[in-house]
Amino acid sequence: MTDNFNFEDAIKDAIDEAFRERGHTNILIAGATGVGKSTLINAIFQGNFATTGQGRPVTQTTREIKKDGVPLSIFDSRGLEIADFSDTINELKSFLSERRQESDPNKHIHVAWVCIMEDSRRVQPAEEQLIEILSDYGIPVVAVISKARQDKINGQSFQSTVQSMLPLAKNVIRVRALPEEDDDGNVKPAMGLKELVELTVQLVPEGHKRAFTAAQKVNIKLKKNQSHIIVTSAATSAAGVALVPIPFADAVAIVPIQFGMLAGITSVFGLSYNEGFLSALVSCIATGAGGTLIGRAVVSNLLKLVPGGGSIAGGTIAAATAAAITTAFGEAYIATLVFLFTRNNGEPPTPEEVVRTFKQQYVTG
């Protein structure tokens, strides 16, 4: 069986499957000029998204922002400050209808953020109407109070006012995308970003949670938790393959499962990956792990599959061993990525950094 195993094809198949399962998330963000939409987008999503992403108009008042390697589209809708915005509303309705009729769920609008600046201290009729329309199309809406500085003035909470005036919104979140210094020189830290991310991921359809998790950068724990699910699934699958002990030389059915696990974790963290990256990751484990991480028998098996790796060990692998190996492998990779993303304030490290750090901390260390 090992003679028919193609290492490169297995890596490519794992990447293709991870990309397909991750999907794509689409967020509509609306608000008057100056409400801070671009700042909010850049604060939450990887790669300075609103500034470096590519934008294209989809209507006269809405543009789609995308960025290579990030499974996200932001649809930035403008024009809410216009007194007579009937044309804007009609365009938006037509756009939402087209998207809802798409057979590909990756093209649907999955959630909307309607931004209201706290300093304005009022909800505009346009914002009320917009949320009603979005709700009619089945799109969950979060009302985002942006540039949050002071919720209560004269005992009146603006957040409570927004909640009462926009009952169709799933929730109202106050955010401050960037730290701000007040007149006394005191710095108020950014706030509300994790809460907005946690609420949004609950509202995004199940098949698109991985994409949103990958695109956002403020909640690394969310990436970690999604990755744990992938590891658990892979360990269960590996144990299933090995329920009946099989010759290790024929145990290559477990290896694609582990490739798929690696690709899935990589996709959830929002890394830009390819065949060369996963091949280098597996190769560094196979050639450097010895008996420290996944055991000499597994290393020998991987060496057989990695081109130029070496010879194969004999023996068998049982279900418990297969599950334990797969779990240790996956959890060590997650720990590497958590360390690097935390160090980089949520921004992705380079593939070279990932391979080097994994090898230093969990293979040769």
Side-chain angles (χ1 to χ4, degrees), residues 66 94 110 120 135 157 178 217 221 225 310 316 324-325 330 361:
K66 299 173 67 176
S94 177
H110 302 118
S120 71
S135 298
S157 165
L178 297 174
K217 66 180 180 182
K221 184 178 179 181
N225 291 343
T316 62
I325 289 168
Q361 295 195 17

Side-chain angles (χ1 to χ4, degrees), residues 272-285:
S272 177
Y273 60 93
N274 53 35
E275 292 93 330
F277 166 61
L278 287 186
S279 178
L281 187 65
V282 173
S283 295
C284 93
I285 295 166

